[in-house]
Amino acid sequence: MDQELLLRVKELRTYFYTDAGDIKAVDGVNLEIQIGETLGVVGESGSGKSVTAMSIMRLIPIPPGKIVSGEVMFNGKDLLKASEDELMRIRGNDIAMIFQDPMTSLNPVLTVGDQIMEAIMLHQKAGRTEAKKKAVEMLKRVAIPEAEVRIDNYPHQFSGGMRQRVMIVMALSCNPKLLIANEPTTALDVTIQAQILDLMNDLKREYGAAIMLITHDLGIVAELCQKVLVMYAGNTVEYTDVVSLFTKPMHPYTWGLLGSLPKLDVWAKQHLEPIQGQPPDLRNLPQGCNFAQRCNHKKLICEQQKPTWLENEPGHFVSCFLYEEEGKRHD
Amino acid sequence: MIETKKTTETLLKVENLKKYFPIKKGIAVQRYVGDLKAVDGVSFEIRRGETLGLVGESGCGKSTIGRVILRLLEPSKGKVIFEGKVLNQLSHEEMRQMRSQMQMIFQDSYASLNPRMRVGDIIAEPILIQGVSSRAEREKQVCKILEVVGLSPYHGARYPHEFSGGQRQRIGIARALALNPKLIICDEPVSALDLSIQAQLINLLEDLQKEYHLTYLFIAHDLSVVKHISNCVAVMYLGKIAELANSEELYKNPQHPYTIALLSAIPVPDPTAKKDRIILKGDVPSPVNPPSGCRFHTRCSKVQTICKEQDPNYRELEMIIS
Ligand SMILES: Nc1ncnc2c1ncn2[C@@H]1O[C@H](COP(=O)(O)OP(=O)(O)OP(=O)(O)O)[C@@H](O)[C@H]1O
Ligand SMILES: Nc1ncnc2c1ncn2[C@@H]1O[C@H](COP(=O)(O)OP(=O)(O)OP(=O)(O)O)[C@@H](O)[C@H]1O
Ligand code: SF4
Ligand code: SF4
Ligand SMILES: [Mg+2]
Ligand SMILES: [Mg+2]
């Protein structure tokens, strides 16, 4: 496919320097997104998904945080080297983000409508009346009943899932080239979820946007994403197309992840099978592979050295010693 | 249904519960123009040591039910009976004592944690209120609870903003557990978590239930998780319960057209799978002016003329068939 590269992140590292020690929240992240593509990002809670997203947007609080090294090429420009002015233009216009905590990112003293209209007036150069019409229309598209009336509500008068939908509307009304959606549908039931995912697909079709979708729902990944990135303890451990991920996953963590799906068709009330053990302390990462403590396949070398990020098969990247002999170096 | 004898006592009973939020219009003078019927006549009971799952569309009133049970909101009508006591009749002091026995894990975990307190202190606070005055003993308990929810003791020294979304959710769970409550209202407790940790926490909630005979009202939209943990499941639609059944029965043999649509829409973790979901047509109706007759009739694929006129009776189906 002759697609065009929109975003490439290389060897990104973001640390937090706290009293309790240096937290290596993101410690070697690599990813690519083509125009018009949806990349799913999955990985254990605390593995650095949100910090990666915030680093791409350069929204990491400094101090205590710092982007230590790496490259974030967006449309041919390294965002890590961009000036604050350039970033202001890019955020909201070219890259929009749906944050993980809808309540904390909505302003409690402004009505839902005012907040959406502000985004529309800013990014679509619309007047107030037109912005209001568009805001109502968008709220309808995300299944808010009686949108004409509810638009005058304050955030606390909306349910959890309704607030999440307001966030989605605000991000979409910027017509971004890249939408970073951080767990956008966690609070939504399946029927509304389906509508939202359709809406995001429309955005892709109409404007050729790309989406980076952070989610823990592998069902959504399977339905919506073309590529998938798996993260563990600040590292990207696997990256491939969606079919390969489900049919021939390579990394032992991915195996565990796919194994802990609660299945609807299994009847017995058996215990679910989580991956045993805890993720490592990010202040004190092991010398070898970050997953070694919990890995059933570890070899001697795994505790001594870090595995490298390799393209094991065309388009299928993995970071694990099980594949290191056969693979070729990626640069 | 006839065979299932009520072997254990009922811990929580909710009778014809209603919660209306008044709608006001106007900038200078606020004029009352109607009610938003968030919860509109809901009844159910949960036996001690069991779990009732509560599922339904976003905005159908699930969190409001949780808040009314805890009396964080006063009901407009109806009763909440906990251990035989009608909660709405208790004085503030009696209610305060009662609250330690009923905890809620909030949907919006971040907003429910005090940003200026260290996580260790957030969890220690309820333990202190319970009368554990020794600091060392409190710290020991805090460490134990942190480990139970998959965090480490050193996390206790950090502030909420230093945690990831899923970690904060677990802090909320830790705080609820700290009080040894009898009833926990879990409002989307695991929806922000990856599957492995979901599995850990669901197992944990189940183990605690066995050990301490805990009772859960488990609010979620993820039907597979609800099915796993619940004895019974109530499916809500627009402020009312559409179907309530034993969880095995509900998934194997759903009766209500809304339940059937819900089950069909679950995304399948298989990129090659064929998808034949029932996409619900039509706008989501408003809780201010709910449709006449059956509330689902504007979107139901099996709608008949009578559905538009009469509200179907809520009845025990198995009883009638058998
Ligand atoms: N401001 C901060 N100060 C210190 N540590 C932080 C800060 N923000 C995040 N962290 C730590 O960085 C790690 C990665 O966090 P991040 O929010 O990226 O996780 P995540 O993958 O998004 O997880 P989740 O799925 O739970 O949202 C976590 O261990 C978290 O505690
Ligand atoms: N304080 C309030 N004032 C006015 N309306 C409210 C208030 N709280 C909730 N509502 C409304 O009541 C209805 C039910 O809300 P509730 O939070 O119970 O939904 P929910 O089922 O928990 O949804 P979700 O799955 O999205 O969290 C919604 O229409 C909501 O907007
Ligand atoms: S590098 Fe070794 S320890 Fe790490 S995942 Fe691969 S096999 Fe397991
Ligand atoms: S519209 Fe009629 S058939 Fe459909 S759920 Fe309601 S009562 Fe049943
Ligand atoms: Mg996150
Ligand atoms: Mg809710």
Side-chain angles (χ1 to χ4, degrees), chain A residues 18 20 23 43-46 49-50 100-104 140 143-146 149-150 152-153 156 159-163 165 183 185-195 197-198 216-220 222-223 242-243 246-247 253 257 260-283 294, chain B residues 23 25 36 56-59 107-111 147 150-152 154 158 162 164-168 170 188 190-200 202-203 206-207 210 221 223-225 227-231 247-249 251-252 258 261-263 265-272 275 277-280 282-289 299:
Chain A
T18 70
I23 297 166
E44 196 158 53
S45 172
K49 304 181 296 293
S50 297
Q100 196 171 3
D101 296 296
M103 199 48 187
T104 39
K140 282 191 175 151
I144 303 279
E146 284 198 312
V149 182
R150 299 305 295 266
D152 293 325
N153 279 176
H156 80 269
S159 77
M162 289 162 73
R163 282 177 216 144
R165 283 177 272 165
E183 305 277 7
T185 59
T186 39
L188 299 175
D189 51 281
V190 282
T191 48
I192 292 181
Q193 196 176 64
Q195 270 168 294
L197 298 180
D198 272 352
H216 61 267
D217 188 332
L218 294 173
I220 294 184
E223 292 203 4
V242 66
V243 176
F246 285 95
T247 52
Y253 172 67
L257 194 66
S260 57
L261 280 182
K263 291 193 190 69
L264 252 184
D265 49 310
V266 177
W267 258 112
K269 260 224 163 196
Q270 87 270 53
H271 247 43
L272 301 169
E273 270 174 52
I275 302 164
Q276 294 303 320
Q278 300 280 335
D281 181 349
L282 297 177
R283 300 168 307 169
R294 303 167 80 183
Chain B
I23 307 166
K25 265 231 167 90
L36 187 152
E57 204 158 41
S58 170
Q107 184 171 11
D108 205 331
S109 58
Y110 197 23
E147 267 166 35
L151 296 170
S152 301
Y154 70 82
R158 297 214 225 152
E162 296 177 49
S164 77
Q167 289 167 338
R168 284 199 284 263
R170 284 178 275 165
E188 306 272 7
V190 297
S191 55
L193 300 172
D194 59 279
L195 288 167
S196 180
I197 290 182
Q198 274 194 17
Q200 259 178 39
I202 296 285
N203 287 343
E206 284 181 342
D207 291 345
K210 272 193 220 108
H221 61 271
L223 293 161
S224 46
V225 170
K227 182 184 109 181
H228 192 89
I229 197 168
S230 308
N231 303 86
S247 91
E248 194 160 334
E249 201 47 41
Y251 289 87
K252 250 199 262 168
Y258 178 59
L262 263 191
L263 285 170
I266 298 173
V268 205
D270 175 0
T272 55
K275 286 130 205 166
R277 17 166 107 128
I278 308 168
I279 299 265
L280 289 177
D283 289 341
V284 179
S286 159
V288 180
N289 295 304
R299 299 161 86 197

Side-chain angles (χ1 to χ4, degrees), chain B residues 99 102 120 128 133 165 236 265 277 286 291 319:
Chain B
R99 277 230 177 87
M102 316 161 74
L128 178 69
S133 54
M236 263 185 94
R277 17 166 107 128
S286 159
M319 207 103 103

Side-chain angles (χ1 to χ4, degrees), chain A residues 47-91:
Chain A
S47 60
K49 304 181 296 293
S50 297
V51 173
T52 299
M54 300 293 260
S55 303
I56 293 172
M57 297 278 277
R58 290 265 309 269
L59 288 173
I60 295 290
I62 307 172
K66 188 177 178 212
I67 300 177
V68 181
S69 63
E71 199 181 274
V72 176
M73 294 300 281
F74 176 75
N75 248 342
K77 180 158 195 67
D78 189 351
L79 297 187
L80 298 188
K81 299 204 177 92
S83 69
E84 197 51 42
D85 277 353
E86 287 173 301
L87 287 171
M88 290 286 273
R89 250 173 287 128
I90 290 169
R91 282 185 211 132

Side-chain angles (χ1 to χ4, degrees), chain B residues 13-18 42-44 77-81:
Chain B
K13 191 167 178 182
V14 166
E15 271 179 21
N16 196 25
L17 198 67
K18 294 188 181 179
V42 161
S43 305
F44 59 77
K77 253 217 178 83
K79 273 192 241 168
V80 178
I81 303 161

Side-chain angles (χ1 to χ4, degrees), chain A residues 238 240-250 313-316, chain B residues 271:
Chain A
E238 186 161 0
T240 183
D241 65 274
V242 66
V243 176
S244 304
L245 188 93
F246 285 95
T247 52
K248 41 176 188 181
M250 291 186 131
E313 280 170 19
H316 198 151

Side-chain angles (χ1 to χ4, degrees), chain B residues 80 105 116 120 147 150 179 191 194 199 204-205 222 277 281:
Chain B
V80 178
I105 300 169
R116 277 175 291 278
E147 267 166 35
L179 272 172
S191 55
D194 59 279
L204 168 76
L205 289 171
D222 183 333
R277 17 166 107 128
K281 299 248 161 49

